[in-house]
């Protein structure tokens, strides 16, 4: 006895519906992949290319119950101006102070000690970010 073949004869009934679905999926995947890559590139350019000021907290010291002295090191493009936001928190995690400190001039590296006013004893000094402008 012979077994019956479940395959359709070649070229007689056209392309199978699975082949068409696979082709649509490949095209849709390629379009979505290209869109995702373009979106990542756009955000990367604006994050890296537009951030002209960066900084870090070198040291900090609570000088009294109402102030924290913060030593900032700022790196920026020559001639760029902007500000950095610093905050302080109490031992229980509550925010007790926040301020923006402006930087400008032609120097590309600035070491500056700033005083952050607080409403209670600050136990931390945290740089939240720097922005050009």
């Amino acid at each position: 006895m012979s077994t019956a073949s479940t395959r359709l004869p070649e070229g007689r009934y056209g392309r199978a519906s699975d082949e068409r679905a696979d082709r649509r999926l490949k095209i849709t995947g390629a379009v979505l992949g290209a869109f995702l890559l373009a979106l990542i590139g756009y955000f990367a350019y604006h994050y890296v290319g537009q951030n002209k000021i960066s900084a870090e907290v070198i040291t900090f010291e609570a000088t009294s119950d109402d102030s924290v002295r913060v030593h900032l090191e700022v790196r920026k493009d020559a001639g760029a101006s902007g500000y950095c936001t610093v905050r302080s928190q109490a031992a229980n995690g509550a925010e007790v102070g926040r301020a923006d400190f402006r930087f400008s001039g032609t120097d590309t590296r600035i070491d500056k000690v700033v005083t952050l006013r607080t409403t209670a004893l600050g136990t931390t000094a945290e740089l939240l970010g720097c922005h050009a402008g």
Side-chain angles (χ1 to χ4, degrees), residues 1-111:
M1 231 192 219
S2 67
T3 60
S5 174
T6 58
R7 287 182 40 190
L8 297 176
E10 295 268 338
R12 187 166 181 182
Y13 296 102
R15 297 178 69 182
S17 63
D18 286 344
E19 290 175 5
R20 278 182 249 137
D22 286 346
R23 179 174 159 88
R24 282 188 193 144
L25 283 174
K26 287 178 185 177
I27 291 171
T28 303
V31 168
L32 289 176
F35 176 73
L36 182 64
L37 282 176
L39 190 64
I40 289 171
Y42 174 79
F43 284 119
Y45 170 76
H46 283 285
Y47 179 76
V48 175
Q50 302 298 321
N51 194 8
K52 297 179 181 178
I53 297 177
S54 64
E56 64 180 304
V57 173
I58 304 299
T59 61
F60 68 91
E61 175 186 5
T63 55
S64 67
D65 283 347
D66 63 351
S67 67
V68 175
R69 186 173 34 218
V70 182
H71 178 192
L72 289 174
E73 180 181 297
V74 180
R75 290 168 303 282
K76 63 182 189 67
D77 292 343
S81 63
Y83 63 94
C84 293
T85 304
V86 179
R87 80 168 177 178
S88 182
Q89 293 177 308
N92 65 1
E95 184 175 293
V96 294
R98 179 187 293 235
D100 293 334
F101 297 102
R102 291 205 146 289
F103 299 97
S104 61
T106 59
D107 294 337
T108 59
R109 185 176 169 274
I110 300 170
D111 274 327

